[in-house]
Amino acid sequence: MHDSDCYGLLWCFIKLLGIDIFEHRHDGKKKTANAVLKTFTNKLTKMFFPFMLHAMIIYGIISWIILCVKGVTTIEVLISFTVSNLFSLALWYDVRRKRNLIQNLVLKCRNLTFCLGLTQMNIKGFVNLCLILSVTIPFGLTVFGTYAISEAALQYKMFYSFFSILENGNHIFVLIESLIILMTYTASLILPALMTIISGAIYYKVSDLFGSICDKLESQSHIPFEYDEIYKLLHIYNILYKLVHEIEKVLSTTAFLLLFSEWLNLYLVLVILFKLDNRGFTDVITWESIFILVMGSLTVIAVVLCASRISCQNHRFRSILQLTHNCMLPNKENTNKTLLLIRAMLSMKFPRMTACGVLHLEPVLILSVFGSVLTYGLLVLNITKH
């Protein structure tokens, strides 16, 4: 049911964020003690992260506003924190709201693959690797930040310690400090990374489904197609048509939130690096900024390339259909009904993958995003110099 062979530990990680994609309902069934305990644990898990996420964002925004009013920090740091966390919150709500639609997408892909007897690439290992890196690096930054907080600027000491300068050996304050750092990284780094993985994985699996069908057609291209085969192909093509429309509807806003938030994060990190006082730089801030720059770049590349792969495979499918039509056209034995079915498939226009209808998810978008970030970054650098 969980399709774990394709997506690895992805659903388990998403569930820890309070979003159960494959939620089991036991309404009307007799509940045993284990079932009741499991239900209670699931409810606790679903409530814990959302509560911590909202509490952390509220605390963070209020804290940075106070620090900004007191002149301890800059407006750039306040904007950076607020924008990053609000977009993360919007991402969480977006995916949580669409969890049933995502489940339907995954199950449709799996069922169609099984019914057609297709062989798809197993991306379980790669997904698990991305998950591990997305979680372990922020955890490493948390440990590093806890031990290096004494070297940080005053505003970071005050923020991560509930406005109390930590005393050496005070384990309670160290624990609170570690929790604040971890939740900050979870909201701003881990959450967007997991949403990127789930979006990219679904885009890739749909495109891989397209590719498997194309491979099967190409392997049979030397055999003349009969009317029944073309009719069956039309049915499959119609299912793919609906599936692509559905994935555009489900993941369009998610892709927009991811791309726009990472674009802003890249820009804001550059602004902070250019304008932050040298005394504010620490090893923690440096490594955090590097991770944000790397993760932001990988997010843009992953989402765009995985989504654009659907259009590429669709173009490949249409090319096969066009060649089949051209080969069958001179043959007098082929009926007009067969050719009519092929023309019907060729006339179907699949939707282009977009980010909320604003941006077309095509490789050229990657150059546009990085070009704009570089342009605005250099502009800010020139302004600060003058």
Side-chain angles (χ1 to χ4, degrees):
M1 179 71 173
H2 284 234
D3 201 24
S4 58
D5 291 339
C6 296
Y7 297 94
L9 300 173
L10 178 59
W11 309 127
C12 296
F13 277 78
I14 297 297
K15 188 175 181 179
L16 292 176
L17 299 182
I19 304 174
D20 192 355
I21 301 295
F22 290 91
E23 183 176 6
H24 294 284
R25 301 185 183 276
H26 304 280
D27 298 336
K29 295 183 180 180
K30 185 178 180 180
K31 295 184 178 181
T32 63
N34 291 335
V36 172
L37 180 61
K38 186 176 180 180
T39 302
F40 175 76
T41 304
N42 289 337
K43 287 184 178 180
L44 187 63
T45 303
K46 290 168 64 175
M47 292 173 58
F48 176 75
F49 181 80
F51 172 77
M52 294 297 293
L53 178 64
H54 287 77
M56 187 63 222
I57 291 176
I58 293 172
Y59 164 73
I61 294 176
I62 294 175
S63 299
W64 286 115
I65 289 175
I66 294 174
L67 292 172
C68 189
V69 170
K70 290 184 175 182
V72 180
T73 189
T74 61
I75 189 66
E76 289 82 9
V77 176
L78 170 62
I79 294 175
S80 176
F81 180 89
T82 303
V83 169
S84 175
N85 284 270
L86 288 181
F87 268 104
S88 295
L89 186 63
L91 267 173
W92 184 85
Y93 272 108
D94 181 69
V95 175
R96 183 177 181 273
R97 179 174 59 88
K98 297 175 180 175
R99 60 189 183 277
N100 292 330
L101 297 175
I102 293 174
Q103 180 193 80
N104 291 334
L105 267 177
V106 173
L107 293 180
K108 283 180 181 179
C109 289
R110 190 192 68 171
N111 293 337
L112 188 58
T113 302
F114 177 77
C115 292
L116 298 178
L118 302 175
T119 301
Q120 290 188 275
M121 184 179 296
N122 191 344
I123 60 173
K124 176 181 177 180
F126 183 74
V127 169
N128 287 340
L129 177 62
C130 293
L131 289 170
I132 292 171
L133 291 176
S134 300
V135 174
T136 54
I137 293 177
F139 265 91
L141 287 173
T142 300
V143 175
F144 184 42
T146 302
Y147 284 99
I149 192 66
S150 59
E151 301 176 2
L154 178 61
Q155 63 264 35
Y156 293 103
K157 287 183 180 180
M158 296 178 68
F159 173 73
Y160 289 125
S161 61
F162 261 134
F163 293 88
S164 299
I165 303 300
L166 298 180
E167 300 176 1
N168 293 330
N170 194 324
H171 298 295
I172 296 178
F173 276 114
V174 172
L175 181 62
I176 294 175
E177 180 186 74
S178 300
L179 181 61
I180 294 176
I181 295 175
L182 178 60
M183 286 306 301
T184 301
Y185 287 151
T186 300
S188 60
L189 301 177
I190 297 178
L191 180 59
L194 294 182
M195 298 310 168
T196 300
I197 294 172
I198 190 174
S199 300
I202 294 174
Y203 278 132
Y204 185 88
K205 293 305 292 185
V206 173
S207 67
D208 199 32
L209 179 61
F210 251 112
S212 299
I213 296 175
C214 290
D215 292 338
K216 190 173 182 178
L217 286 176
E218 287 180 340
S219 65
Q220 300 174 351
S221 59
H222 62 283
I223 304 174
F225 286 99
E226 300 294 335
Y227 175 81
D228 292 339
E229 294 174 329
I230 297 297
Y231 183 80
K232 182 180 178 181
L233 183 61
L234 175 62
H235 178 66
I236 296 172
Y237 200 64
N238 189 47
I239 294 176
L240 291 175
Y241 182 79
K242 294 178 180 178
L243 188 63
V244 173
H245 270 280
E246 190 172 346
I247 194 174
E248 165 65 10
K249 178 182 177 181
V250 173
L251 295 182
S252 179
T253 53
T254 306
F256 175 79
L257 290 171
L258 279 171
L259 294 177
F260 194 68
S261 63
E262 294 305 324
W263 182 86
L264 279 177
N265 282 337
L266 290 173
Y267 173 68
L268 290 171
V269 166
L270 291 176
V271 171
I272 291 174
L273 290 177
F274 290 147
K275 299 195 69 175
L276 189 65
D277 188 0
N278 290 334
R279 291 174 298 175
F281 283 105
T282 62
D283 292 336
V284 178
I285 300 299
T286 301
W287 284 108
E288 178 185 337
S289 300
I290 292 174
F291 183 73
I292 291 175
L293 290 173
V294 172
M295 195 192 76
S297 303
L298 291 178
T299 295
V300 173
I301 294 172
V303 172
V304 172
L305 290 184
C306 290
S308 64
R309 198 168 181 266
I310 295 178
S311 298
C312 292
Q313 294 296 343
N314 179 42
H315 178 73
R316 181 185 171 197
F317 200 121
R318 290 175 60 84
S319 298
I320 296 173
L321 288 177
Q322 187 64 60
L323 291 174
T324 302
H325 177 271
N326 295 342
C327 292
M328 294 178 66
L329 193 60
N331 193 344
K332 296 181 180 180
E333 296 180 358
N334 294 315
T335 63
N336 290 331
K337 289 184 178 180
T338 305
L339 295 175
L340 190 62
L341 292 180
I342 297 178
R343 290 168 187 163
M345 286 186 281
L346 288 172
S347 64
M348 295 172 66
K349 294 184 178 180
F350 278 64
R352 299 166 68 183
M353 295 297 100
T354 67
C356 223
V358 178
L359 301 171
H360 293 291
L361 301 180
E362 298 174 351
V364 68
L365 179 62
I366 299 175
L367 298 177
S368 300
V369 170
F370 291 136
S372 61
V373 170
L374 181 61
T375 301
Y376 287 118
L378 292 175
L379 178 62
V380 171
L381 180 60
N382 290 330
I383 292 174
T384 55
K385 283 184 177 180
H386 295 290

